[in-house]
Amino acid sequence: MAKRPKWIGALVLALTIAAVFAGLGQWQWERSFATVDVPTRQTETPVALGSVAAPQQVISTEASGRMVSVECTFVQGDDLWVTDRLHPDGRGDWLIQHCATAEGYSLAVATGWLPDSSAAPREGFAGTTGGVLTGRYVPTESPQSFDFEAGARSAISVAELINLWEQPGPVYGGYLVASSAPEGLRTISTEPPPPDGELNWLNLFYAAEWAIFALFALYLWYRLVRDEWESEQAPQPETLKA
């Protein structure tokens, strides 16, 4: 039945309609993941840290991932290393230093890193005394389990640092990744934050509708062919004799 010319033609028509519906569904699918039409944040031009963030406050969207500058002095004795950090050039250890501003605010600064294979000593690294620092301001990380006895740490958690520093004072909720490392360390590379985006549920619903329409076009062809086949297979009533 399906090989008859009229049903072959009907199948070609159904496939064409299904292809058009599938194309419309693909278009709606792509639109559902389109970038939100909002002004692009200027994250790569450094601004004063105090203009976008304040101590004892949750880091805002405006401040997150932004290049900032701040004048502060490193507090000696509060340096620590976080280990097993992933970096484009491999895994390594990051030096985290406590930097205090003139107002007495505390800021965690990731000043540089050393690869795991490096034989350079981790203890007693003086680094710089401070000054005007420039870098990317990023949100704090959640505390992770580590070896307390060995002093190993793998997360940069501000909530943890304030318990390790001698005199933390009001603390910024994020930490600064310095854009240049002191002598003896490698600079920690950072990337701009991705553009804001959202899932457009209405377009996603339309995409699902077009997919259903495409399947229905093929099902309709099948149903028509089957109905005619069943009609021909049905027993014909005997002709009444005169």
Side-chain angles (χ1 to χ4, degrees):
M1 178 65 67
K3 295 180 180 179
R4 293 180 181 177
K6 73 171 184 177
W7 292 118
I8 292 178
L11 176 59
V12 172
L13 178 61
L15 290 173
T16 302
I17 295 174
V20 173
F21 288 164
L24 292 172
Q26 177 68 22
W27 175 67
Q28 291 288 357
W29 175 269
E30 292 175 353
R31 283 179 57 84
S32 66
F33 292 94
T35 300
V36 182
D37 186 15
V38 296
T40 303
R41 288 198 299 139
Q42 299 297 328
T43 61
E44 302 312 292
T45 301
V47 298
L49 176 61
S51 66
V52 294
Q56 309 296 95
Q57 293 185 5
V58 177
I59 184 171
S60 65
T61 302
E62 178 65 21
S64 179
R66 189 176 190 128
M67 296 294 292
V68 299
S69 62
V70 59
E71 185 173 2
C72 59
T73 302
F74 288 125
V75 179
Q76 302 302 316
D78 284 346
D79 297 354
L80 58 89
W81 291 86
V82 291
T83 60
D84 198 30
R85 301 288 296 190
L86 183 61
H87 193 273
D89 295 331
R91 291 187 177 275
D93 303 339
W94 290 15
L95 174 63
I96 309 301
Q97 295 185 278
H98 174 197
C99 207
T101 66
E103 297 82 5
Y105 303 152
S106 293
L107 174 67
V109 181
T111 54
W113 76 289
L114 288 172
D116 290 336
S117 59
S118 175
R122 266 52 170 182
E123 299 296 331
F125 190 92
T128 62
T129 58
V132 178
L133 303 179
T134 301
R136 194 175 302 280
Y137 187 61
V138 295
T140 180
E141 300 172 358
S142 300
Q144 297 178 0
S145 59
F146 48 81
D147 188 346
F148 285 95
E149 296 181 358
R153 296 175 178 82
S154 59
I156 306 173
S157 171
V158 174
E160 178 191 356
L161 292 174
I162 61 177
N163 295 318
L164 299 175
W165 293 338
E166 289 293 334
Q167 297 179 343
V171 181
Y172 282 97
Y175 66 94
L176 184 76
V177 180
S179 57
S180 60
E183 184 179 357
L185 294 179
R186 301 186 185 185
T187 300
I188 302 172
S189 61
T190 61
E191 296 181 355
D196 295 329
E198 69 177 8
L199 182 62
N200 191 319
W201 289 101
L202 182 60
N203 289 107
L204 192 62
F205 174 75
Y206 289 153
E209 274 192 336
W210 286 119
I212 294 173
F213 292 159
L215 293 174
F216 181 75
L218 298 177
Y219 174 78
L220 181 60
W221 172 85
Y222 163 78
R223 186 70 262 180
L224 292 174
V225 173
R226 185 173 180 84
D227 286 347
E228 182 163 333
W229 177 81
E230 291 178 348
S231 176
E232 291 187 1
Q233 297 299 314
Q236 299 296 326
E238 294 183 1
T239 304
L240 295 178
K241 297 182 178 179

